[in-house]
Amino acid sequence: MSLWLVFRRWAASQFHALSGRNLLLMILGYTVVSYLLLTLAGEQALVSPVTDYLYYLVVTASTVGYGDMSPSTTAGKWIVMLVVIPGGLGLFALTLGRVASVLIEYWKQGQLGRRKVTVNNHILLLGWNEQRTLHLIKMLQYEEKGHRAIVLCVRADIENPLPGEIEFVRVPSFTDSDGMARAGVDTASCILIDNPEDDITLSAALFCANHNPQAHLLAYFNDESLSVLLKHHCPNAECIPSVAVEMLAKSAIDPGSSELHHELLSTHKGMTQYSVHYPEHEPATTVGALFGIFKTDYDAILIAVDSGQGVALNPSLDISVPPGAKIFYIADERVEHFNWSRITASS
């Protein structure tokens, strides 16, 4: 083995062993020693004031070399040649290397999901189903652009599938307190659980409901009996069962039903189903008053109302809509601002 290779390996090991504290002490020692040597050499123009001295060290160490300051005595020139320049270049390279190493490590920790997220009021997605999950994230991004951040939390041994677009956390399990704390389970406004194994989905849902009962909790189950079990323990949880079999049967009887449902659920094109809460400060109105103005003013179709007793699909026009009721409608885009005063004036 060549001496150069041995030296390189030794230098690399010393660099990785060099702590930030020791590097700072080396920089301070270099600064003080250079100051004392230049002072003894009579280089007053380089060491006074201190700001000019620090400026000279940085310019010299970074090899910029503006030339506006330089030693004037013979002793000062030797000190600069033997101490200031070699020491400055070495410490400057070490500092840049250390900063780059810290930044790379910070980026790598984020890629591997080991870093705590710094977002609040976010959508927390638990589970990894490859392309299915990626499609779900894209739909959420389209809907939540400029609003809530998306945090993907997985148990799988993967890296962030969408770096720069979403936050990413890896946990040993969805009931691990430390790991879920890194994912911000306590500050999420919506927790969506879509995991291949129903038993893991159930345990994750119970854990999340206990740690953040205020969050909108959604869980996808293949076995509908587990939906009933979760609703028993967490009445506010919204369980989404698999509808693949029902969709097959419906499409067999009414051809095109699958395309219709896909269109209603897609956020990227065509008419889509949305919801909005009727304001608490507005007086009660009727479905008929809402239906007409939804269509004429917003080209939207009211399809259901939930006044607290469950969703009433295709409600009668004379049904009352109290303040706080949830209204479901179909439109080409989500209506961001409804003119509720015009609606109530017509009722």
Side-chain angles (χ1 to χ4, degrees), residues 90 134 325:
L134 291 176

Side-chain angles (χ1 to χ4, degrees), residues 115-307:
R115 199 169 66 223
K116 179 178 173 60
V117 300
T118 57
V119 296
N120 293 301
N121 192 38
H122 54 284
I123 298 177
L124 177 57
L125 174 57
L126 306 181
W128 175 247
N129 290 284
E130 299 182 352
Q131 290 302 316
R132 170 191 170 97
T133 303
L134 291 176
H135 181 61
L136 174 58
I137 292 173
K138 291 297 183 182
M139 294 179 68
L140 292 173
Q141 286 177 320
Y142 183 85
E143 285 283 346
E144 292 292 333
K145 187 176 182 180
H147 298 287
R148 292 180 292 182
I150 299 171
V151 177
L152 173 62
C153 181
V154 304
R155 298 184 309 131
D157 187 15
I158 62 171
E159 295 185 5
N160 189 343
L162 297 170
E165 298 184 36
I166 62 171
E167 299 287 342
F168 177 70
V169 175
R170 272 179 57 191
V171 295
S173 76
F174 294 135
T175 56
D176 177 70
S177 297
D178 293 337
M180 295 299 287
R182 286 191 289 110
V185 65
D186 294 333
T187 59
S189 61
C190 177
I191 301 175
L192 199 163
I193 308 171
D194 183 23
N195 199 74
E197 298 91 0
D198 278 356
D199 56 338
I200 294 177
T201 298
L202 179 62
S203 61
L206 293 173
F207 178 89
C208 294
N210 181 59
H211 280 73
N212 188 354
Q214 304 303 318
H216 180 203
L217 179 62
L218 301 101
Y220 177 88
F221 289 104
N222 292 302
D223 184 355
E224 194 168 350
S225 63
L226 293 179
S227 299
V228 178
L229 179 60
L230 178 60
K231 292 288 288 184
H232 176 74
H233 293 281
C234 307
N236 294 328
E238 187 172 347
C239 301
I240 297 91
S242 174
V243 295
V245 174
E246 290 83 353
M247 188 59 63
L248 283 172
K250 189 63 178 174
S251 296
I253 305 302
D254 298 301
S257 294
S258 62
E259 296 181 16
L260 170 63
H261 285 82
H262 179 75
E263 183 83 4
L264 291 176
L265 295 175
S266 174
T267 58
H268 298 286
K269 63 183 182 69
M271 290 291 172
T272 304
Q273 178 259 306
Y274 301 100
S275 68
V276 65
H277 279 92
Y278 186 58
E280 295 281 357
H281 61 272
E282 295 290 344
T285 184
T286 63
V287 170
L290 293 170
F291 192 92
I293 294 181
F294 266 47
K295 185 60 180 176
T296 56
D297 289 11
Y298 308 104
D299 196 23
I301 301 176
L302 190 154
I303 59 172
V305 174
D306 184 358
S307 300

